Amino acid sequence: MLEIRDLTVAIDGESTPILKGLNLSINSGKVHAIMGPNGSGKSTLSHVLAGHTGYSVLQGSIQFMGQDLLVLAPEERAILGIFLAFQYPVAIPGINNMYFLKEACNRIRQGRHEKSLDAVDFLAQVRTHLKQIGLDESFLKRSLNDGFSGGEKKSNEILQMLMLQPKLAILDETDSGLDIDALQAISKVINQQRTPQRSWLLVTHYQRLLSYIQPDYVHILYKGRIVKTGDHNLALRLEKEGYGWLQAEATHTVEGHD
Amino acid sequence: MVMDRQQADWQAHCQGLLQQIGCREATWLKDWRHQHLEQALALSFPNRRHEIWRYTDMTAWRSADLSLSLPLEALRAYQNTIHKETVLAQLLKMPSVYRAVFYNGHLQQTHTQDLPSQAIISNWTTLLQQNPELVQDICTRLQYKESAQLFKSLNYALMQDGLLIYLPKGVQLKQPIVMVSLHKVGEKSTAPTLSCNQHWIYLEEGAKAVVWQVSIGLDAQNNIAYYHNVATDIQLARGAQLTHYQLQSHTQQAQHLSMQRVELQRDSQLEQHSIALGGRLARQEDQIILQGEGAQACVSGLTVTMGCQQVDHDLNIQHIAPHTTSKTTCKAIAAQRSKSVFKGGIHICPHAHGTQAHLQNTNLLLDPTAEINTKPELNIENNDVQCSHGAVVGSVDQEAKHYLQSRGLSKQEAYRLLVNAFAKDRLQAIHHPSIYSVTEQMTLDKLTRIAELNLS
């Protein structure tokens, strides 16, 4: 489904790359987790996948569903099935949450040649999802993320994800800012949404999320590259030992190459 | 020499305009007009070396070959064209309101059914017949209020008509008063017309009213300009409350100058919402004088400009008495080569202890060729006060735009939504549902036109 090859990315206008030849493939129905210390490039990867214009791709390619993702605008990627739950969702006073959700939903449905939802169907779906996440309906009447608590912002991202039904959901540190109850509720929703057609990329600092959502693969992103891939046990090891041992191992690897 | 020549032409021209006014007027009014014309002509014409005119070029007012709009022509034009303009249907059919409609500065119709006795909603040309002493009395009081200002003196000299709203003590109107001012260049005319209005809104002790002042330019396609000079004098007696909504949507050729003065006595309240969308050059000057202890003024403003429009909002709030409050929130959106000027002057006089004054001006610049000038000015002469002011100019937030796009909205839609969102809180501050609905519709129409430009 997603094929990232030799991806080298810098912040727009800068020459030092953040991602340095990253390789990653994700197949349908799989859950991949990416962990890594601060500044290793996790959020850069998420943003580049979603089409943020603040980065320049210096080298490499990203294929998604057989298409060259890098030439597509963010909205085209969304229609194709990419969804990024932002680490820091933007607050926009003056845009009503429900209005926005309905616009987004129907734009994407139109783009996918599906029938737009009318007000009744839309509301029915939203109500179901709100209940799943444990949110009150008044949530919809507020301005988009405006004055939302950290947890509410993250929950709103998940609500959007449920309505937009992506093929690849990238959750960028969705667990941070959520209390334990909310984390459990959202994990449950995500587990319900795991289908053979849908893939997941969970970017996280904490093992805890992965004990709720069992990943198929855990990758460690370190200094712009994936340096280790394993299963859930890798996350447990990180939890116990931190990233220190990676430093030694990475140095060793580099020396080995020399 | 050139300046002298211009000044001489201008003087001759203004005198010519005064001669167009009916000669059957009472002697006192004739004298009043001549006196103010002399006053106007004694003042030097604004130029950009004067600080208050630094961003604003008024020379079109001097160079245009203006003639005054005539009442009879206005009546004919009103009858011929008004019903074709569908955009106005909602406005002119709005139920449960008192209404006065002016066309090119002359009153065409009023609707004042069920007005409480002793309250007055009437134009002063009618009042001149019925109660000339009242009009004379008001005029006499007006002239001593402030130092001479050229365009106001000109307005006094050439005033053609206007509305008097008078509410006696304790009268609280349940329905809003809608003053509609329609403007259109005559079908055959090649020269621009000038209309001068003067409105008076007087609320006695404890009286309460909602007034909506709307100016609309019809026939936006016509390339000939019209000029509108309007002065409004507002008096709020002790405990009176006025909610004053304003909407101007003149054509892109129009020159609009609105000068408003509000005096607030003890514990009276003014809530003002000004939405300015039109005009080649539209300038609104507001003077708000918090004269009595505990008086409160809340000012909200939104201007939207495109093309080669310029819209000015020149706001001056004077806190004269103790424990007075003012809160100002004004926004502007400027696209293309348009220009928006905001001045927010707050003066806190030596005796105004316990005063609170807050002013915020936020601006959205949509194109690098657009221009926004903002000048908040605080002048504080008392230490026991709470004041704040701030001005921000920014462009469309790229992070927000990306966020919206990442949810499937096109670049254009994201842009449109963000620009609308910026204006939203100023529109939502309008609490009257029908007034909100018309204002929102007209504002969003304009913002859509701007978004479409961005699309091409």
Side-chain angles (χ1 to χ4, degrees):
Chain A
M1 174 181 278
L2 181 75
E3 201 69 45
I4 305 176
R5 287 274 158 267
D6 193 25
L7 187 67
T8 303
V9 173
I11 290 179
D12 220 10
E14 288 181 20
S15 56
T16 326
I18 300 169
L19 297 180
K20 300 164 187 165
L22 182 137
N23 292 298
L24 177 68
S25 29
I26 296 180
N27 288 333
S28 292
K30 298 297 180 197
V31 178
H32 291 243
I34 290 205
M35 303 184 78
N38 291 328
S40 57
K42 301 187 298 295
S43 287
T44 302
L45 177 62
S46 310
H47 279 131
V48 170
L49 286 170
H52 195 288
T53 49
Y55 298 91
S56 42
V57 175
L58 305 175
Q59 203 174 293
S61 66
I62 306 176
Q63 294 276 317
F64 179 69
M65 311 285 296
Q67 290 207 41
D68 178 3
L69 198 64
L70 293 173
V71 299
L72 299 180
E75 63 271 27
E76 294 169 315
R77 300 180 192 206
I79 288 165
L80 208 56
I82 285 191
F83 178 89
L84 168 63
F86 281 62
Q87 184 183 2
Y88 303 110
V90 186
I92 311 177
I95 296 187
N96 174 269
N97 205 20
M98 175 146 81
Y99 170 80
F100 169 62
L101 201 56
K102 187 157 185 262
E103 281 294 297
C105 199
N106 283 336
R107 290 292 164 241
I108 284 189
R109 292 180 75 96
Q110 284 159 17
R112 293 179 187 161
H113 307 293
E114 293 165 12
K115 218 177 124 237
S116 294
L117 291 178
D118 62 27
V120 178
D121 290 342
F122 170 79
L123 210 60
Q125 280 200 22
V126 175
R127 282 189 176 135
T128 312
H129 294 320
L130 280 172
K131 209 174 270 175
Q132 284 177 301
I133 308 172
L135 289 170
D136 191 79
E137 215 170 293
S138 64
F139 196 68
L140 297 172
K141 297 201 177 97
R142 298 162 68 182
S143 275
L144 180 56
N145 295 325
D146 186 35
F148 284 24
S149 71
E152 285 175 325
K153 283 185 185 171
K154 297 301 178 75
S155 302
N156 201 31
E157 296 291 285
I158 298 302
L159 176 65
Q160 292 173 10
M161 185 200 75
L162 291 171
M163 291 302 295
L164 302 183
Q165 291 291 307
K167 293 197 173 69
L168 172 66
I170 308 158
L171 310 186
D172 191 357
E173 297 195 24
T174 299
D175 49 342
S176 43
L178 290 177
D179 62 35
I180 298 171
D181 290 344
L183 182 64
Q184 282 179 346
I186 281 173
S187 302
K188 195 175 155 200
V189 170
I190 291 173
N191 283 326
Q192 286 166 356
Q193 294 286 317
R194 283 176 78 160
T195 66
Q197 288 77 38
R198 182 169 295 136
S199 312
W200 303 79
L201 186 61
L202 312 177
V203 176
T204 182
H205 273 299
Y206 306 106
Q207 186 283 131
R208 193 165 65 205
L209 175 73
L210 306 180
S211 63
Y212 294 121
I213 307 164
Q214 284 280 330
D216 297 298
Y217 301 97
V218 174
H219 309 279
I220 300 175
L221 185 60
Y222 187 71
K223 292 189 176 169
R225 273 192 209 107
I226 289 179
V227 293
K228 209 158 185 70
T229 296
D231 57 14
H232 186 209
N233 289 321
L234 186 57
L236 292 170
R237 181 174 176 195
L238 285 177
E239 180 90 342
K240 216 183 284 168
E241 300 177 25
Y243 292 105
W245 57 277
L246 270 178
Q247 177 78 39
E249 217 164 85
T251 321
H252 186 73
T253 318
V254 171
E255 277 165 9
H257 276 295
D258 284 342
Chain B
M1 273 308 282
V2 176
M3 285 304 292
D4 291 344
R5 173 78 185 279
Q6 277 181 343
Q7 189 68 13
D9 284 354
W10 156 250
Q11 291 184 357
H13 190 73
C14 290
Q15 273 148 357
L17 286 175
L18 183 54
Q19 279 165 15
Q20 293 177 22
I21 287 176
C23 49
R24 279 180 301 172
E25 282 181 339
T27 317
W28 73 262
L29 186 52
K30 276 184 182 165
D31 290 348
W32 202 76
R33 291 181 185 279
H34 277 104
Q35 190 188 336
H36 284 97
L37 188 67
E38 269 174 39
Q39 199 175 62
L41 297 180
L43 296 162
S44 62
F45 196 86
N47 79 52
R48 301 180 69 173
R49 286 192 299 272
H50 300 145
E51 183 57 25
I52 58 162
W53 300 104
R54 197 167 139 198
Y55 302 110
T56 308
D57 183 358
M58 297 297 290
T59 49
W61 285 75
R62 179 165 59 179
S63 53
D65 186 21
L66 298 174
S67 60
L68 284 175
S69 65
L70 302 172
L72 203 61
E73 282 175 11
L75 179 64
R76 280 196 209 112
Y78 176 71
Q79 287 165 343
N80 288 340
T81 64
I82 192 63
H83 301 291
K84 295 176 194 161
E85 300 279 346
T86 51
V87 53
L88 287 169
Q90 202 181 343
L91 193 61
L92 296 175
K93 286 179 187 154
M94 193 183 283
S96 315
V97 296
Y98 304 108
R99 184 167 33 238
V101 182
F102 291 81
Y103 192 94
N104 285 349
H106 300 279
L107 185 83
Q108 303 304 317
Q109 50 149 292
T110 52
H111 173 86
T112 56
Q113 216 175 356
D114 306 324
L115 190 69
S117 61
Q118 288 168 334
I120 302 172
I121 299 177
S122 175
N123 65 323
W124 55 259
T125 45
T126 306
L127 283 170
L128 268 177
Q129 323 273 322
Q130 296 167 349
N131 192 350
E133 293 80 17
L134 176 67
V135 180
Q136 186 174 2
D137 183 46
I138 294 172
C139 285
T140 313
R141 276 197 299 162
L142 273 179
Q143 79 188 103
Y144 296 110
K145 271 188 184 167
E146 53 198 320
S147 58
Q149 202 261 65
L150 191 146
F151 290 103
K152 206 167 215 182
S153 299
L154 200 63
N155 179 292
Y156 288 3
L158 302 173
M159 57 184 198
Q160 294 160 296
D161 206 346
L163 200 67
L164 168 66
I165 296 172
Y166 173 79
L167 296 189
K169 186 173 172 178
V171 170
Q172 306 202 337
L173 294 186
K174 288 190 183 68
Q175 303 178 3
I177 302 165
V178 181
M179 306 163 62
V180 186
S181 183
L182 303 173
H183 297 266
K184 187 170 176 173
V185 177
E187 311 255 296
K188 288 181 193 120
S189 59
T190 48
T193 51
L194 168 69
S195 48
C196 288
N197 286 126
Q198 202 173 133
H199 304 301
W200 304 322
I201 303 173
Y202 300 143
L203 270 51
E204 295 289 9
E205 192 174 326
K208 189 174 172 181
V210 174
V211 174
W212 188 25
Q213 209 170 342
V214 194
S215 300
I216 290 179
L218 307 174
D219 191 9
Q221 305 312 316
N222 198 320
N223 283 324
I224 297 166
Y226 58 81
Y227 288 62
H228 187 211
N229 177 329
V230 53
T232 310
D233 185 59
I234 300 176
Q235 299 283 326
L236 304 182
R238 185 171 181 153
Q241 292 177 32
L242 173 67
T243 305
H244 193 189
Y245 296 112
Q246 298 167 325
L247 168 67
Q248 76 84 353
S249 177
H250 283 290
T251 66
Q252 301 252 341
Q253 283 73 39
Q255 299 272 335
H256 172 79
L257 184 58
S258 160
M259 294 158 291
Q260 182 176 290
R261 189 174 188 278
V262 191
E263 256 183 53
L264 291 102
Q265 301 306 327
R266 188 174 180 129
D267 297 326
S268 61
Q269 292 176 17
L270 168 74
E271 187 184 321
Q272 181 184 312
H273 301 259
S274 312
I275 312 290
L277 306 175
R280 168 70 185 79
L281 173 61
R283 181 176 167 90
Q284 178 172 346
E285 295 177 10
D286 287 332
Q287 235 190 315
I288 296 173
I289 302 149
L290 298 154
Q291 194 95 55
E293 195 164 338
Q296 295 177 21
C298 185
V299 180
S300 168
L302 173 68
T303 70
V304 183
T305 55
M306 66 191 289
C308 43
Q309 283 188 277
Q310 173 172 350
V311 175
D312 288 14
H313 191 182
D314 187 284
L315 173 70
N316 287 288
I317 302 177
Q318 271 175 276
H319 290 262
I320 291 175
H323 304 291
T324 47
T325 309
S326 71
K327 184 168 188 279
T328 305
T329 316
C330 289
K331 285 188 167 183
I333 299 173
Q336 296 181 300
R337 285 164 297 134
S338 69
K339 191 166 153 183
S340 179
V341 182
F342 176 79
K343 187 201 145 192
I346 294 180
H347 183 189
I348 297 173
C349 297
H351 301 296
H353 58 83
T355 283
Q356 290 190 38
H358 301 284
L359 178 144
Q360 182 65 39
N361 177 235
T362 318
N363 301 284
L364 184 61
L365 199 58
L366 293 179
D367 290 296
T369 44
E371 187 179 321
I372 285 172
N373 299 289
T374 170
K375 228 172 45 156
E377 282 178 2
L378 273 182
N379 180 4
I380 304 174
E381 296 185 271
N382 187 298
N383 291 326
D384 174 27
V385 297
Q386 281 182 41
C387 292
S388 69
H389 68 140
V392 186
V393 182
S395 51
V396 169
D397 182 355
Q398 294 303 314
E399 290 302 319
K401 195 161 137 231
H402 171 67
Y403 184 67
L404 300 182
Q405 280 181 263
S406 77
R407 300 300 182 248
L409 273 63
S410 69
K411 204 164 135 185
Q412 289 77 22
E413 283 170 308
Y415 177 89
R416 186 180 62 84
L417 276 190
L418 289 170
V419 174
N420 290 359
F422 179 83
K424 193 83 177 182
D425 69 338
R426 291 307 89 212
L427 296 172
Q428 281 177 337
I430 297 170
H431 293 301
H432 190 280
S434 318
I435 297 175
Y436 171 77
S437 149
V438 173
T439 309
E440 188 201 32
Q441 192 188 323
M442 294 185 95
T443 308
L444 292 186
D445 280 354
K446 175 134 197 192
L447 292 177
T448 304
R449 288 211 300 280
I450 290 175
E452 280 165 358
L453 285 169
N454 188 261
L455 200 150
S456 52

